Amino acid sequence: MSKLYKLLILSGDGIGPEVMDEVIKVAKCVEEKSDVVFEIQKDDIGGAAYDRYGVPLSDETLAKAKESHAVLLGAVGGEKWDNLDFSLRPEQGLLSIRKEMDLFANLRPALCFESMVDASSLKSELVSGLDILIVRELTGGIYFGEPRGIEEKSDGTRIGINTQSYTTEEIRRVARIAFELASKRDNRVTSCEKSNVMESGILWREEVSYIHKNEYPNVELSHMYADNCAMQLVRNPKQFDVIVTDNLFGDILSDEAAMLTGSLGMLPSASLGAFDSNNSRKSLYEPVHGSAPDIAGKGIANPIASILSFAMCLKYSFNMDKESDLINQSVNKVLSDGYKTADLIGDDDKNLSTVEMGDKIINQLKQNF
Ligand code: IPM
Ligand code: MN
């Protein structure tokens, strides 16, 4: 009997709906070719949810997300909602779903496909063969720390306040994920913080070292200040295997790493919770790129980051490594045949629309199966 997996699709705003349509097509193709059935439900998040429900993430949507086997998300945000109260902004929908589902480990692989080497802003020898994985802590740190807010003093001066704080357990659990993943790759972890100026950074370094010493002594661990890491990523990115870092540094370093691979339109991500007693975990998959309102509705967005995020879903939520690899290989083949969306286009390439790119990948996937 085939396995049934419930997928909740939250397309969100901007180019989200366009790229998610291509993901649904890929999911249908995988379904035809393997022994699984995907029960697909759709709902809104971000600005789209605000327009429909008056909040960027409704309780009902959150409940559906918690009941599904995996959530596939597009992107959130857009000018239309920029003037809303902070708590109602589209981004709050995304932050709440991460927090409420306790998705503390955000995996952002930066992999440079051979056909993309020339699209990188770095020299080709620096990025050819690049394969790094950023593990970003996603539910703690300055994104969520208290106290926070904007306060006004009696003399009228205003202060904006955010707090960076981490507990031992928050650091330990994400460190374990990083070591575990490294042990299946090149066995090296670089932990990044600012322990030269921040106490939370000192604790981060101590706790990562503790988990290393007690649980993963065979993985190679090094520590690096986050600013140095930002510099090393453009100087010599191939020195890294797995980078583990906090929420804010991870946000910044992963955008930087994304650009090394040629386009922000290429990078997938997985956000994972802890395993429960049934050995399953809550999970959400989304592209690293944003909602790109400037190109929304034009049919030119690159669906690859979302399609690769679905490939990560197959691997990390459903143990479908073979199907996941086949999607990655299909994307690589289509790109190396010179088919590109507008964000990637080079002199000799053939320019595809969002839908055409989805179709090309699916045709290739059918052949690969
Ligand atoms: C990301 C995004 C989000 C973040 C925004 C949209 C809230 O930049 O996923 O990297 O800062 O985490
Ligand atoms: Mn970001």
Side-chain angles (χ1 to χ4, degrees):
M1 220 178 77
S2 11
K3 290 211 174 85
L4 176 88
Y5 292 123
K6 286 192 215 167
L7 297 177
L8 178 66
I9 311 253
L10 301 175
S11 297
D13 310 320
I15 60 171
E18 299 161 52
V19 295
M20 293 316 286
D21 282 349
E22 301 314 303
V23 171
I24 294 172
K25 282 158 54 180
V26 173
K28 294 247 156 41
C29 174
V30 171
E31 203 176 43
E32 273 169 33
K33 299 283 181 182
S34 49
D35 200 19
V36 292
V37 175
F38 296 119
E39 188 187 293
I40 296 180
Q41 249 195 316
K42 286 188 181 182
D43 205 345
D44 289 312
I45 192 166
Y50 175 80
D51 289 346
R52 187 161 154 202
Y53 305 119
V55 283
L57 175 69
S58 77
D59 291 345
E60 290 74 22
T61 307
L62 178 62
K64 278 187 221 166
K66 286 182 173 168
E67 278 162 24
S68 63
H69 291 102
V71 179
L72 305 177
L73 195 138
V76 298
E79 223 172 83
K80 183 178 168 196
W81 305 282
D82 277 354
N83 294 322
L84 287 178
D85 185 76
F86 192 67
S87 64
L88 294 173
R89 295 244 190 110
E91 290 76 9
Q92 293 303 321
L94 182 55
L95 297 177
S96 311
I97 198 168
R98 289 173 178 169
K99 185 77 176 172
E100 295 294 330
M101 291 175 74
D102 206 14
L103 305 169
F104 64 90
N106 183 217
L107 280 41
R108 299 189 161 187
L111 203 134
C112 190
F113 287 103
E114 217 36 53
S115 50
M116 293 290 301
V117 164
D118 293 327
S120 173
S121 44
L122 295 192
K123 293 196 199 86
S124 57
E125 64 265 28
L126 287 180
V127 292
S128 165
L130 180 78
D131 178 3
I132 61 187
L133 174 65
I134 298 188
V135 178
R136 168 188 177 192
E137 199 291 327
L138 202 61
T139 51
I142 201 160
Y143 272 58
F144 298 97
E146 300 279 349
R148 64 184 301 159
I150 300 178
E151 286 172 14
E152 194 164 331
K153 296 205 285 189
S154 49
D155 67 358
T157 319
R158 298 203 304 151
I159 333 172
I161 303 163
N162 290 94
T163 303
Q164 163 86 335
S165 72
Y166 271 108
T167 64
T168 47
E169 197 39 46
E170 282 175 326
I171 301 167
R172 287 180 186 189
R173 63 182 185 171
V174 74
R176 285 193 184 97
I177 301 260
F179 287 122
E180 196 62 49
L181 290 167
S183 71
K184 296 180 191 124
R185 299 167 43 101
D186 204 32
N187 213 33
R188 293 180 294 120
V189 170
T190 307
S191 169
C192 294
E193 28 61 15
K194 283 284 288 176
S195 58
N196 50 344
V197 287
M198 295 162 80
E199 284 80 356
S200 60
I202 296 177
L203 188 73
W204 184 279
R205 190 175 280 224
E206 288 175 1
E207 292 302 331
V208 172
S209 300
Y210 176 87
I211 294 299
H212 175 243
K213 183 162 172 274
N214 290 288
E215 300 178 27
Y216 296 93
N218 297 327
V219 178
E220 195 183 304
L221 170 67
S222 56
H223 301 278
M224 199 180 265
Y225 297 138
D227 53 344
N228 185 21
C229 180
M231 186 270 278
Q232 297 295 341
L233 272 173
V234 287
R235 194 187 71 89
N236 174 22
K238 282 193 266 181
Q239 70 183 282
F240 297 108
D241 180 28
V242 173
I243 295 174
V244 64
T245 189
D246 76 16
N247 205 342
L248 182 60
F249 295 143
D251 180 44
I252 297 167
L253 295 174
S254 62
D255 263 32
E256 189 188 2
M259 222 31 232
L260 303 178
T261 69
S263 164
L264 205 48
M266 297 286 296
L267 247 79
S269 87
S271 304
L272 307 175
F275 281 109
D276 62 20
S277 49
N278 298 322
N279 209 27
S280 75
R281 60 177 8 157
K282 299 230 174 339
S283 58
L284 179 150
Y285 299 85
E286 59 176 317
V288 170
H289 65 67
S291 58
D294 51 323
I295 58 162
K298 295 189 179 158
I300 58 170
N302 183 353
I304 292 179
S306 294
I307 291 174
L308 295 177
S309 298
F310 179 64
M312 289 189 87
C313 170
L314 296 181
K315 180 178 160 112
Y316 290 101
S317 289
F318 307 144
N319 292 317
M320 296 171 72
D321 290 35
K322 184 191 114 201
E323 290 78 0
S324 177
D325 287 346
L326 289 177
I327 294 177
N328 289 319
Q329 285 160 21
S330 304
V331 168
N332 192 24
K333 178 76 168 75
V334 167
L335 291 173
S336 57
D337 286 348
Y339 296 104
K340 308 275 167 74
T341 42
D343 55 317
L344 306 175
I345 205 82
D347 290 342
D348 302 321
D349 292 330
K350 290 154 277 235
N351 193 349
L352 298 190
S353 69
T354 309
V355 172
E356 286 166 341
M357 179 55 93
D359 290 342
K360 266 271 177 270
I361 292 170
I362 289 161
N363 279 335
Q364 187 59 49
L365 183 59
K366 284 186 178 148
Q367 288 176 41
N368 285 5
F369 259 110

